[in-house]
């Protein structure tokens, strides 16, 4: 006879995973062709930073559903415009939000803060997770690498569904646009990526 088995995965979760993997494959393809030393970047245009952040949050809404996400954007000037490639910057923010959701305990807050500088704007995605081993920070930005958390009762990376590409892709996309992506331990515990 024919044997059947029930899959323990919901259709919604399966659809979310298909979207996540599709996004990852698209980003990996762009990553493979990205050249941080290029002098001219197509697609660099002014974009409203609030729109970028809101779109990134919506793109990861299933992962962020049970987490408070606060967004702080300066009110002066009224609109903060950033010169960037919308698609690449959206992927950077989506990867950082996804990591914050995956590597922190449930219901942990995630803070997105925009700081306007003289020549650019810094966008920080910060969480209140266990933080990262300071000796392993640079390896986080290498493809196929994941970090090890620090602190008492830290959540390890075993059991986390991750290919280890998100931060490598995010940093390369930032560098292609003449920016950068760095990690800082957050005061009071947690990780902050700028």
């Amino acid at each position: 006879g024919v044997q059947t088995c029930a899959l323990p995965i919901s259709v919604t979760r399966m659809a979310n995973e298909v979207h996540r993997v599709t996004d990852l494959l698209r980003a990996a393809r762009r990553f493979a062709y990205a050249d941080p030393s290029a002098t001219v970047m197509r697609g660099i245009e002014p974009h409203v930073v609030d729109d970028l952040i809101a779109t990134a949050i919506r793109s990861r809404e299933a992962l962020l559903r049970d987490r408070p996400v606060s967004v702080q954007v300066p009110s002066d000037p009224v609109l903060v415009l950033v010169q960037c490639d919308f698609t690449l910057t959206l992927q950077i923010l989506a990867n950082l939000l996804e990591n914050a959701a995956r590597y922190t305990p449930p219901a942990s807050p995630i803070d997105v803060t925009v700081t306007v500088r003289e020549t650019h704007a810094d966008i920080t995605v910060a969480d209140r997770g266990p933080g990262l081993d300071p000796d392993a920070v640079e390896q986080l930005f290498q493809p196929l690498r994941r970090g090890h958390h620090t602190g008492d009762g830290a959540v390890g990376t075993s059991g986390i569904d991750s290919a280890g590409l998100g931060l490598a892709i995010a940093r390369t996309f930032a560098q292609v646009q003449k920016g950068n992506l760095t990690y800082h331990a957050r005061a009071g515990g947690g990780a902050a990526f700028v």
Side-chain angles (χ1 to χ4, degrees):
V2 176
Q3 281 188 305
T4 61
C5 64
L7 295 177
I9 188 167
S10 73
V11 173
T12 302
R13 183 170 170 220
M14 195 178 321
N16 289 338
E17 276 303 297
V18 167
H19 289 294
R20 187 181 74 79
V21 170
T22 301
D23 288 347
L24 183 61
L25 290 172
R26 283 185 186 132
R29 186 177 65 220
R30 287 190 297 272
F31 173 70
Y33 294 106
D35 180 4
S37 66
T39 56
V40 177
M41 178 68 195
R42 292 187 196 115
I44 301 289
E45 298 174 347
H47 295 283
V48 178
V49 75
D50 303 65
D51 293 345
L52 279 162
I53 294 168
T55 303
I57 290 169
R58 278 193 308 274
S59 77
R60 297 300 183 262
E61 102 184 306
L63 278 171
L64 299 171
R65 182 180 351 201
D66 66 340
R67 296 170 189 281
V69 178
S70 72
V71 178
Q72 295 178 347
V73 178
S75 57
D76 184 32
V78 176
L79 287 179
V80 176
L81 295 175
V82 290
Q83 289 283 105
C84 66
D85 178 291
F86 190 90
T87 303
L88 296 182
T89 305
L90 175 62
Q91 189 67 54
I92 294 167
L93 293 172
N95 287 5
L96 295 176
L97 288 165
E98 184 170 329
N99 280 358
R102 289 181 180 277
Y103 290 96
T104 59
S108 294
I110 298 169
D111 300 316
V112 182
T113 307
V114 176
T115 306
V116 177
R117 307 284 185 204
E118 192 172 315
T119 60
H120 66 281
D122 289 335
I123 302 174
T124 303
V125 177
D127 64 50
R128 289 290 180 196
L132 297 163
D133 179 353
D135 296 329
V137 168
E138 277 310 305
Q139 84 173 5
L140 293 175
F141 296 103
Q142 297 172 11
L144 307 176
R145 304 299 286 269
R146 292 184 296 168
H148 298 285
H149 299 287
T150 62
D152 294 332
V155 178
T157 57
S158 60
I160 300 292
D161 183 22
S162 169
L165 291 172
L167 290 175
I169 289 169
R171 179 178 262 182
T172 299
F173 286 178
Q175 290 172 339
V176 162
Q177 299 178 82
K178 306 304 178 212
N180 199 9
L181 178 62
T182 58
Y183 163 81
H184 304 282
R186 187 173 187 189
F193 289 89
V194 182

